[in-house]
Every structure is written in structure tokens, then in C-alpha cells.
């Protein structure tokens, strides 16, 4: 019972993170499942089965608020599903001794990306422009889906920053479209794992606990994003992922580092983590107005045909 409650809290916390950053539900949940000794393939399968429900609720919510570009959802979601199915079948056929360090490396890289990206750059910035094309979204979906299944997470860390960096889709629709398309990825990955490892290797009580926590957190995340700066939250979560997966990697058969080496590295990570959070807080205060403007853009409905946008007003003034 205590483990189920812990998993529900993990699902709640992971969804709070994902709802605030547009990423990291899978990475956070899988990292913590691995930390309590779950088989890598079973951990990823558990998370993806739970994500079928959480992404459905998230997608419906984004659709209701007009945060979804359905063309982007289809262009990235379908190849993402293909990549996720392939990644799930690959992970299902790798031995636990090999899969655990590999997954730790993938999660560590993703954690470093989230940590560095939000600590030093803050919220992604870009100007709205041309439509996103298949030649960009198709390979992005394939890679994101494959990494998501093999690493237990990665759809958001791969897809959200890439689309935001393109500057071609407003932030609110980027997050909404990525979250909605993840429903297809979660279904495909789950089918791949069920085919690869079988349903008997999955604890559905754990799936339900993660699902309940995620569904409860979905509306809370929408409120939380207004109060906790995403820059600070990104640095905090990235540190958790880095520390946990560094621990798993150092204790694996691949490295099996002595205690002295491990404790020194843990100390370095703790110091860097604390410094990153302090730096993120200071940078957020320095650029609070700009960051708030970006968040406001993500929450403001797109202009309709009856209401002129900034370009129309500029032409009128000219």
C-alpha cells in the first residue's frame, strides 16, 4: 500500500513538472521507478500505459482551451508512434543488465539537457513564422518516439524545445500539440511493450497509481505554472534526474565505482545543483517581465478573424 501511495505521488509530481514545462513526465516517472529497482522495460511500459490516460486528459484540456494545432499533431504524432513502437520492441529484447545502464545514460543526457537548457537559457524564445513542414516534423517524431520508448521518456524534451526553437508555432500551441500527440506515442509504445515483454511482467496496480496521480495533477499544473517560474522548476527537476541516473550508472556492472569516487561525484552534483537553482532564481528576477510576457503569450488565445493582430494594427497605424 505504501508503494502504491508513493507511485501515486510520483505520478502527481511528474505531471506537475510536465504541465509546467511541457516535458519530463516520462523521464521523471521512469527515473524514480528505476530507483526503486523496477526492470527497465517494465518501468517504461508502466509509465507509457499510465500516459495513455494522462495524455488523453491533457490533450482534451488543451483542445478545450484552443491550444492544439491538429496539423502538427498528425505530422509529428504518427511518425512518433512508429518510432515509439520500434523503441519499445528494441528495449524489450535487451537484457536487464544491458538495458539498465543504457537507459541511465539516455535519461542522464535528457536530464542534462533539461538542466542546462532551463538554467542558462530560461524559456525558449522565437518569433512566429512559417508553418512547420513534414520534412522537419517527421524525423523529429521518429527520433522523439524512439528515445521516449527506450529511455522511458523523452517525447517532451526532444519535441517541445525543437519546435519552440524553430520559432514557427506559438508556445501555448507547441506545448498543447506535443502533449496531445503524445497520446499516439503512448499507445504505440504500450503495444510494443505488451508484444515484447507480455502483460504478465507489468504491475497494473502501479499503472493505476501513476495514472491517478497524473490525472489529479493535470488541473493543478495549469495553476502551478502561474506561480512557479518554469526556469527554476526546470533546473530543480534536471538536477533530480542527473543525480538519480548518475547513481544508477556508477553502481552498475559497467562502472561499479568505489564508494569514495561516488560520494565525491555526488557532492559535485549537489553543489552544481544548488548553484543552478540560485542562478535560475536570480536570472528569473532579472528577466521576470520578459518571462511573464512569454508565459502570457502561451495562455492568451490566438487572435480571431474579427480581432486584428499586431501586424494588422501596425498596417492600420501606417
Amino acid at each position: 500500500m505504501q508503494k502504491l501511495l508513493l507511485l501515486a505521488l510520483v505520478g502527481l509530481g511528474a505531471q506537475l513538472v510536465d504541465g509546467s514545462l511541457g516535458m519530463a513526465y516520462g523521464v521523471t516517472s521512469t527515473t524514480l521507478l528505476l530507483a526503486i529497482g523496477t526492470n527497465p522495460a517494465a518501468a517504461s511500459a508502466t509509465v507509457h500505459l499510465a500516459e495513455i490516460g494522462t495524455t488523453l486528459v491533457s490533450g482534451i484540456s488543451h483542445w478545450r482551451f484552443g491550444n492544439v494545432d491538429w496539423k502538427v499533431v498528425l505530422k509529428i504524432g504518427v511518425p512518433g508512434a512508429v518510432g515509439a513502437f520500434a523503441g519499445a520492441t528494441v528495449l524489450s529484447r535487451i537484457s536487464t543488465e544491458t538495458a539498465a545502464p543504457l537507459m541511465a545514460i539516455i535519461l542522464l543526457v535528457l536530464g542534462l539537457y533539461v538542466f542546462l537548457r532551463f538554467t542558462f537559457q530560461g524559456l525558449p524564445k522565437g518569433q512566429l513564422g512559417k508553418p512547420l513542414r513534414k520534412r522537419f516534423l517527421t524525423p523529429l517524431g521518429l527520433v522523439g518516439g524512439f528515445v521516449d520508448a527506450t529511455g522511458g521518456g523523452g517525447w517532451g524534451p526532444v519535441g517541445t524545445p525543437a519546435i519552440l526553437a524553430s520559432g514557427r508555432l506559438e508556445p501555448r500551441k507547441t506545448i498543447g500539440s506535443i502533449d496531445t500527440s503524445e497520446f499516439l506515442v503512448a499507445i504505440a509504445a504500450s503495444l510494443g511493450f505488451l508484444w515484447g515483454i507480455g502483460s504478465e511482467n507489468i504491475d497494473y496496480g502501479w499503472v493505476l497509481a501513476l495514472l491517478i496521480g497524473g490525472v489529479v495533477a493535470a488541473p493543478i499544473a495549469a495553476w502551478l505554472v502561474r506561480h512557479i517560474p518554469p526556469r527554476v522548476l526546470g533546473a530543480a527537476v534536471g538536477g533530480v534526474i542527473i543525480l538519480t541516473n548518475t547513481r544508477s550508472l556508477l553502481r552498475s556492472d559497467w562502472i561499479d565505482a568505489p564508494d569514495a569516487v561516488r560520494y565525491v561525484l555526488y557532492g559535485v552534483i549537489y553543489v552544481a545543483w544548488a548553484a543552478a537553482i540560485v542562478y535560475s532564481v536570480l536570472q528569473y528576477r532579472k528577466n521576470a517581465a520578459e518571462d511573464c510576457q512569454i508565459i502570457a503569450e502561451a495562455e492568451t488565445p490566438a487572435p480571431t478573424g474579427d480581432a486584428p493582430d499586431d501586424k494588422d494594427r501596425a498596417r492600420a497605424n501606417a
Side-chain angles (χ1 to χ4, degrees):
M1 186 64 186
Q2 290 181 343
K3 183 172 286 188
L4 291 178
L5 179 60
L6 174 62
L7 289 171
L9 292 175
V10 168
L12 188 145
Q15 184 60 42
L16 289 177
V17 172
D18 192 81
S20 300
L21 299 178
M23 64 181 75
Y25 177 90
V27 176
T28 305
S29 299
T30 305
T31 293
L32 294 176
L33 284 176
L34 290 175
I36 62 176
T38 309
N39 173 280
S44 188
T46 300
V47 170
H48 282 93
L49 283 168
E51 280 186 324
I52 293 177
T54 58
T55 56
L56 178 62
V57 173
S58 180
I60 291 174
S61 299
H62 281 298
W63 168 66
R64 292 289 299 272
F65 285 104
N67 295 338
V68 178
D69 186 321
W70 289 105
K71 291 182 180 179
V72 172
V73 169
L74 292 176
K75 288 179 182 178
I76 195 173
V78 173
V82 174
F85 186 85
T89 55
V90 168
L91 184 61
S92 298
R93 284 161 172 73
I94 300 177
S95 67
T96 300
E97 292 76 13
T98 303
L102 284 175
M103 184 177 285
I105 291 173
I106 293 174
L107 291 170
L108 180 59
V109 171
L110 292 172
L112 281 168
Y113 176 82
V114 172
F115 181 77
L116 295 173
R117 178 68 181 82
F118 283 88
T119 298
F120 294 106
Q121 297 184 36
L123 289 168
K125 305 174 181 66
Q127 296 183 355
L128 302 180
K130 300 177 181 179
L132 292 160
R133 302 190 181 280
K134 285 185 179 180
R135 61 174 176 264
F136 169 69
L137 293 176
T138 298
L140 179 64
L142 286 169
V143 172
F146 188 86
V147 171
D148 189 80
T150 54
W155 181 250
V158 171
T160 300
I163 294 179
L164 285 174
S166 73
R168 297 190 175 191
L169 191 66
E170 57 185 302
R172 68 183 182 90
K173 287 198 172 183
T174 297
I175 295 173
S177 299
I178 286 292
D179 283 354
T180 303
S181 61
E182 191 171 10
F183 176 66
L184 301 176
V185 174
I187 291 177
S190 298
L191 291 175
F193 283 118
L194 290 174
W195 182 54
I197 65 174
S199 59
E200 66 275 5
N201 294 309
I202 300 173
D203 190 324
Y204 289 96
W206 291 16
V207 174
L208 183 61
L210 283 174
L211 174 60
I212 292 173
V215 170
V216 170
I220 301 175
W223 174 86
L224 187 66
V225 73
R226 298 172 180 267
H227 300 277
I228 298 182
R231 181 170 198 156
V232 177
L233 191 57
V237 172
V240 172
I241 297 170
I242 291 170
L243 179 63
T244 306
N245 288 286
T246 298
R247 177 180 177 274
S248 299
L249 198 57
L250 292 176
R251 292 165 64 94
S252 69
D253 293 337
W254 285 17
I255 299 178
D256 192 21
D259 291 345
V261 174
R262 288 192 285 113
Y263 293 147
V264 169
L265 287 176
Y266 296 159
V268 171
I269 292 173
Y270 277 122
V271 171
W273 188 10
I277 292 176
V278 171
Y279 178 80
S280 298
V281 170
L282 294 176
Q283 289 299 307
Y284 171 74
R285 290 180 176 178
K286 180 180 178 181
N287 304 302
E290 184 179 3
D291 284 354
C292 288
Q293 182 179 358
I294 296 172
I295 295 173
E297 289 176 359
E299 297 173 346
T300 302
T304 63
D306 297 330
D309 59 14
D310 291 340
K311 293 180 180 179
D312 293 334
R313 283 190 286 268
R315 293 192 194 100
N317 292 333

